[in-house]
Amino acid sequence: MEQLKKEIEETISNKLPEIQREVENNITSINNVVSKYIKQLNKEIIEPLISRDYIKKSEMNIKYYSEVLFEKCLGEKYSAQKIKNIGIEGEKRFKNNIPPGFQDDEKFKNIVIDGEIFQNKFGDYAIWKDIIEYCKNKISINDKFTNVVIVSDDKKEDWRSNKQSMRSELKQEFYFETGLPISMLSSAEFIEKVSNNRELANVARKTVQALDQELTKQKDLDIEAINNGNYESLVGIWKNSRGDILDIKFDGQVNDDMKLVKIKNLNSTNKVPCIGIGNGYTGAALVLFKIGFKNPYGDQSDISKARLILTQNEGDYPAEMYYYRQ
């Protein structure tokens, strides 16, 4: 038995160098095959991708898209006189409810451009004028295009009829000024028409809806938090059509001379939630209307927005008394 074991060990030991050489040869063959295909892939795929022609083409694409996305999409800088003219024209249009933008008439914040005050409420009208002027200039230099599409998710009725198609007044004005037809598509509608991909359009639609819901939530009043002394959802500048302003701070300070105060059992007797407001000598109620909530006594306000009323009595208030956040 011992002799047999010894012979087997010797035989295996003698065979080991041969086995090792064969394994090494096979590994070398495998490496050669892999190396061969790597070189082939490099020659057929990698090298063309980094060739001068490809880089040149990529640079051209980058330049083209940068021009499309930035340079060619920006109009000329507004002069002080143009800013002034937009304000004058905008005021006339808004008084007669001429679209677009007249529903922004309550926007209060302004910016200063070259020393001239530009009122934010005329932003939509400025965009509209830019589009018209751009198209008229293009026509004058014989750039040929036959249709104009505004891509926007703005649903206000100073752009759309019943939040759907573009208002006919805008289409008529645009055609009169440029001789071209114009339409308005939401981002989801535009994606679907351009890509012919309904699934992609649905993703865009859901994204816009989610953003709308989040923005609405942020802009609405949190009655429970307000009643507990947290005035975050009230913070901002509120204005009514009479020109009265309420500037509410995080600490409940209002217009530097008034303060929000919680009045015990105030909301248990009122049909509409409210909070006290006063300056130490006199007081009133600040009535709180959440988005979508109608005044049970009669509502003359825009219920699509949060509203405030400064009063000492409940009732059906005239439209000009309602404050809206700017």
Side-chain angles (χ1 to χ4, degrees), residues 93 124 227 241 247 280 285 291 308 316:
R93 291 174 69 107
D124 282 11
N227 286 333
S241 58
D247 185 1
I291 294 173
L308 303 177
D316 182 2

Side-chain angles (χ1 to χ4, degrees), residues 151 185-197 200-201 204:
V151 181
L185 297 176
S186 68
S187 53
E189 290 169 336
F190 179 75
I191 289 171
E192 185 171 357
K193 286 183 180 293
V194 171
S195 67
N196 198 27
N197 188 325
L200 186 62

